[in-house]
Amino acid sequence: MNKIQMYRPTLNDIQAAHKRIERHVTRTPLHRYRTLENLINAELYVKHENHQPLGAFKMRGGVNHLMKMSSEQKRKGVVTASSGNHGQSIAYAAKLHEIEAVIIVPENANPGKVASMKSLGADVRFYGKDFDESRSEVERLSKEEGYTYIHSANTPDLIEGVGTYTLEILEDLPTTDVIVVPVGAGSGACGTAIAAKSINPKIEVIGVQSNAAPAAYLSWKSGDLQSNPNNTIAEGLGTALGFSYTIEIMRDLMDDFILVSDEELESAVLLLLEHTHNLAEHAGAASLAGALKIKDRLLDKRVVLIMSGGNLSMQHLRNIIKKK
């Protein structure tokens, strides 16, 4: 694997990020759900990143990154590709600092997330059928028009920022045994693993991805970057490529990585709605879908599920309910 030459955030970096961003983000709750845990026979908690003002964990990273940018980088404006939540985080952070933000989204992007980005003042442009095609347009804009390129994976500041939710978990529940985290490009899993393993190396960190877009999983398994078609309904998990920077961190620190089907993600959305009265998007439900798949391994453990986001479109919710 060709390694990306960037620093790897430390626990100190994540703690500094927490102080830097705390006035701009919500300290989200960690709740135990006893009816839900009967399905897994473990002590089960949910970290509600869906309670962030933008409905997802990503805003922690966006705020941290733009607060650390140089005046010159801010002056150029920023450009990024996103299926939704990352773009919202950059749009929000850019508005805080009055920075021009161009967000390239796939042609079928979640309408609610697009509306949110536009309401925050971002210049939202549609390009390509999926995240990876959108990313190619971002690279062109950065080279040809001079915008500061924010990569959704290969950016240490994003990992520092999103790692802050794990600090909160371990302040609230120091005796955590296992954290199950959704994986798309990998910033959330990397932040989780760095923070958790630095505080207590015995904590297991388990990643979950859709088997309809398994590029990160295949890269993690093999040690070589893999590409694979991105056909998942879960926009927050959907990428056709593994990214060397995040894969390297996950291979070093993450204990296991499992795949679930899109059907299992949809079932988990409904279970979370029923048992927690929270609406999770597909990616936000991945941690529960993964935990159900390996429940025998979680028996009697203290498990935290990351509900990474709740920005499910109404059309997707109607489709899920119709199938059940």
Side-chain angles (χ1 to χ4, degrees):
M1 185 186 300
N2 295 323
K3 294 185 178 181
I4 297 288
Q5 296 303 311
M6 287 183 289
Y7 76 93
R8 180 181 296 191
T10 65
L11 179 61
N12 286 340
D13 293 323
I14 294 172
Q15 290 169 331
H18 200 269
K19 291 178 182 177
R20 187 179 299 117
I21 70 175
E22 61 182 347
R23 69 182 183 275
H24 299 299
V25 303
T26 297
R27 192 188 198 285
T28 56
L30 181 72
H31 289 320
R32 183 177 181 182
Y33 293 98
R34 294 176 187 271
T35 59
L36 187 61
E37 67 189 17
N38 290 337
L39 303 175
I40 295 177
N41 294 318
E43 191 174 311
L44 202 64
Y45 298 80
V46 175
K47 178 62 170 171
H48 281 288
E49 284 298 286
N50 58 306
H51 289 190
Q52 289 294 346
L54 299 179
F57 79 107
K58 289 278 191 178
M59 67 179 292
R60 294 176 183 263
V63 171
N64 187 60
H65 184 49
L66 269 68
M67 290 183 79
K68 292 181 68 178
M69 283 174 60
S70 69
S71 297
E72 176 64 14
Q73 289 173 316
K74 292 176 181 178
R75 184 191 64 76
K76 291 178 178 179
V78 298
V79 64
T80 195
S82 176
S83 60
N85 287 333
H86 168 67
Q88 286 189 91
S89 79
I90 299 304
Y92 175 79
K95 186 175 179 64
L96 286 177
H97 300 285
E98 298 182 342
I99 300 168
E100 180 186 3
V102 178
I103 316 293
I104 308 300
V105 301
E107 291 159 0
N108 64 345
N110 181 312
K113 295 178 182 180
V114 170
S116 174
M117 287 182 267
K118 288 181 176 179
S119 71
L120 290 165
D123 177 1
V124 181
R125 305 178 192 177
F126 293 87
Y127 185 92
K129 71 179 188 301
D130 56 27
F131 167 76
D132 298 285
E133 289 192 3
S134 298
R135 193 163 49 85
S136 68
E137 175 66 0
V138 169
E139 292 168 357
R140 185 193 70 79
L141 285 169
S142 177
K143 290 174 184 175
E144 296 181 11
E145 300 187 26
Y147 291 101
T148 300
Y149 178 16
I150 301 176
H151 194 289
S152 62
N154 297 336
T155 307
D157 295 344
L158 298 182
I159 291 174
E160 290 175 8
V162 299
T164 60
Y165 69 66
T166 301
L167 298 183
E168 296 171 6
I169 290 170
L170 297 180
E171 286 175 2
D172 292 344
L173 191 68
T175 53
T176 297
D177 294 315
V178 181
I179 302 176
V180 187
V181 57
V183 180
S187 64
C190 289
T192 298
I194 292 169
K197 294 293 187 179
S198 298
I199 293 169
N200 179 2
K202 293 183 180 179
I203 295 173
E204 287 185 80
V205 178
I206 299 173
V208 184
Q209 189 167 57
S210 170
N211 63 13
Y217 168 85
L218 295 172
S219 301
W220 184 87
K221 279 285 194 182
S222 69
D224 295 315
L225 293 184
Q226 303 287 320
S227 61
N228 202 82
N230 168 18
N231 295 315
T232 182
I233 197 171
E235 56 213 32
L237 306 181
T239 176
L241 300 169
F243 298 103
S244 59
Y245 178 65
T246 49
I247 294 296
E248 181 187 342
I249 295 172
M250 288 191 288
R251 279 180 59 82
D252 285 350
L253 298 177
M254 205 162 70
D255 295 278
D256 201 2
F257 200 162
I258 60 175
L259 293 177
V260 296
S261 68
D262 280 5
E263 291 73 22
E264 288 170 319
L265 292 174
E266 291 182 327
S267 293
V269 168
L270 289 185
L271 284 171
L272 287 166
L273 188 57
E274 178 184 359
H275 291 277
T276 77
H277 307 293
N278 279 257
L279 182 64
E281 59 190 276
H282 296 95
S287 52
L288 175 60
L292 288 166
K293 197 152 195 172
I294 59 168
K295 63 181 182 180
D296 291 346
R297 288 171 47 191
L298 302 178
L299 183 66
D300 296 330
K301 292 185 177 180
R302 195 166 282 114
V303 180
V304 174
L305 308 179
I306 308 302
M307 190 184 289
S308 56
N311 296 317
L312 187 71
S313 73
M314 289 301 97
Q315 186 58 54
H316 276 148
L317 179 59
R318 283 192 287 268
N319 291 344
I320 293 171
I321 293 172
K322 193 181 298 183
K323 291 178 183 178
K324 301 302 175 183

